[in-house]
């Protein structure tokens, strides 16, 4: 995969991700057959990156996936997946099609980084939210240390940000504006997550023998 071409392809509705990827690439890059990871954050976890973007699958794969899982991807979101097969950005996620879940039988491959499964989101995870049944669940983002919000599309293509209790926090008519607002919010909140994870790792790491001896 050619890095510059992939980043440049994130145009129009995905332009905020193109801009962010261009800014984060100086922090370290990992490239695989399935996508790219940008801005290495080893103090969070050894393989943690601020941004993971997954290359789109073929139209035939998307069609087979929908048939296997009896799920219909709305045209609004299918157009997104034609350019980007999901993403993890700070604590913000766009769901996609894990390649192994497009096989028959579908199997989840936990040995490789991949997007969260959009079919599972709409058959299971969406039940945690008090939203209309016809809404399509396509992503999630940070709200507090113990709660994430869900992102949904209605039949007209309007995007909603909802808490699990049904509270609608915001709505957008533009996917580009949605990404700009919510990815920006996730980036602003990420230092809290980094500090929390770094402290958790510090507490799990055994002290050197000489420090243990001095604190007797």
């Amino acid at each position: 995969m050619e890095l510059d071409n992939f980043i440049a392809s994130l145009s129009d509705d995905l332009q905020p991700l193109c801009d962010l990827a261009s800014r984060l690439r100086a922090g370290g890059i990992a490239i695989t057959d399935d996508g790219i990871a940008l801005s290495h954050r080893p103090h969070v976890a050894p393989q943690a990156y601020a941004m993971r973007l997954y290359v789109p699958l073929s139209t035939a794969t998307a069609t087979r996936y929908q048939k296997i899982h009896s799920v219909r991807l709305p045209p609004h979101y299918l157009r997104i997946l034609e350019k980007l097969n999901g993403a993890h950005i700070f604590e913000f996620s766009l769901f996609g099609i894990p390649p192994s879940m497009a096989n028959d039988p579908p199997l989840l491959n936990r040995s490789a980084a991949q997007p969260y499964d959009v079919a599972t989101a709409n058959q299971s995870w969406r039940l945690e939210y008090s939203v209309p049944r016809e809404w399509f669940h396509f992503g999630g983002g940070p709200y507090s240390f113990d709660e994430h919000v869900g992102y949904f599309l209605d039949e007209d293509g309007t995007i909603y940000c909802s808490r699990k209790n049904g509270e609608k926090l915001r709505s957008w008519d533009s996917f580009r504006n949605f990404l700009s607002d919510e990815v920006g919010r996730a980036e602003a909140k990420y230092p809290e997550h980094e500090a929390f994870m770094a402290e958790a790792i510090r507490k799990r790491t055994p002290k050197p023998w000489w420090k243990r001896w001095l604190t007797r």
Side-chain angles (χ1 to χ4, degrees):
M1 183 189 59
E2 212 290 318
L3 176 65
D4 291 333
N5 288 342
F6 178 47
I7 291 177
S9 73
L10 305 175
S11 57
D12 301 324
D13 282 343
L14 297 176
Q15 187 64 45
L17 303 190
C18 177
D19 297 340
L20 181 61
S22 299
R23 176 159 57 86
L24 292 180
R25 62 186 298 172
I29 300 170
I31 302 176
T32 67
D33 291 340
D34 296 328
I36 61 173
L38 304 167
S39 189
H40 192 205
R41 307 295 174 101
H43 49 283
V44 174
Q47 297 300 317
Y49 286 82
M51 187 177 204
R52 287 185 181 271
L53 305 174
Y54 299 95
V55 296
L57 303 179
S58 67
T59 300
T61 299
T63 299
R64 183 174 71 250
Y65 173 86
Q66 293 180 83
K67 182 177 181 181
I68 289 172
H69 295 276
S70 300
V71 63
R72 176 184 173 274
L73 302 177
H76 304 86
Y77 199 60
L78 191 54
R79 285 195 292 270
I80 298 298
L81 295 182
E82 288 172 350
K83 288 187 174 183
L84 180 71
N85 183 28
H88 301 303
I89 307 164
F90 305 111
E91 288 192 278
F92 168 97
S93 295
L94 295 177
F95 304 153
I97 300 174
S100 62
M101 293 294 284
N103 297 327
D104 193 4
L107 298 171
L108 191 59
N109 179 8
R110 299 187 183 278
S111 66
Q114 54 191 348
Y116 292 143
D117 183 38
V118 70
T120 301
N122 283 278
Q123 294 165 348
S124 179
W125 304 340
R126 71 177 316 282
L127 301 178
E128 299 177 0
Y129 295 86
S130 298
V131 298
R133 293 182 61 184
E134 64 272 14
W135 285 12
F136 182 80
H137 189 20
F138 70 89
Y143 182 74
S144 66
F145 276 118
D146 57 0
E147 182 181 358
H148 272 54
V149 293
Y151 301 124
F152 297 85
L153 274 166
D154 72 7
E155 293 179 318
D156 296 324
T158 301
I159 299 164
Y160 292 90
C161 172
S162 177
R163 296 181 64 190
K164 291 183 177 180
N165 63 8
E167 179 185 1
K168 310 301 184 292
L169 298 177
R170 289 198 65 177
S171 65
W172 298 263
D173 293 327
S174 160
F175 207 90
R176 180 170 179 160
N177 291 343
F178 156 70
L179 286 177
S180 180
D181 289 344
E182 289 301 279
V183 172
R185 188 174 66 83
E187 182 175 12
K189 290 181 68 66
Y190 198 64
E192 301 175 28
H193 174 71
E194 286 186 300
F196 176 82
M197 293 301 295
E199 178 63 13
I201 292 172
R202 186 192 67 79
K203 289 180 177 179
R204 291 199 302 267
T205 303
K207 291 181 180 180
W209 69 267
W210 57 270
K211 283 191 176 182
R212 295 197 301 270
W213 184 81
L214 288 174
T215 56
R216 286 183 180 180

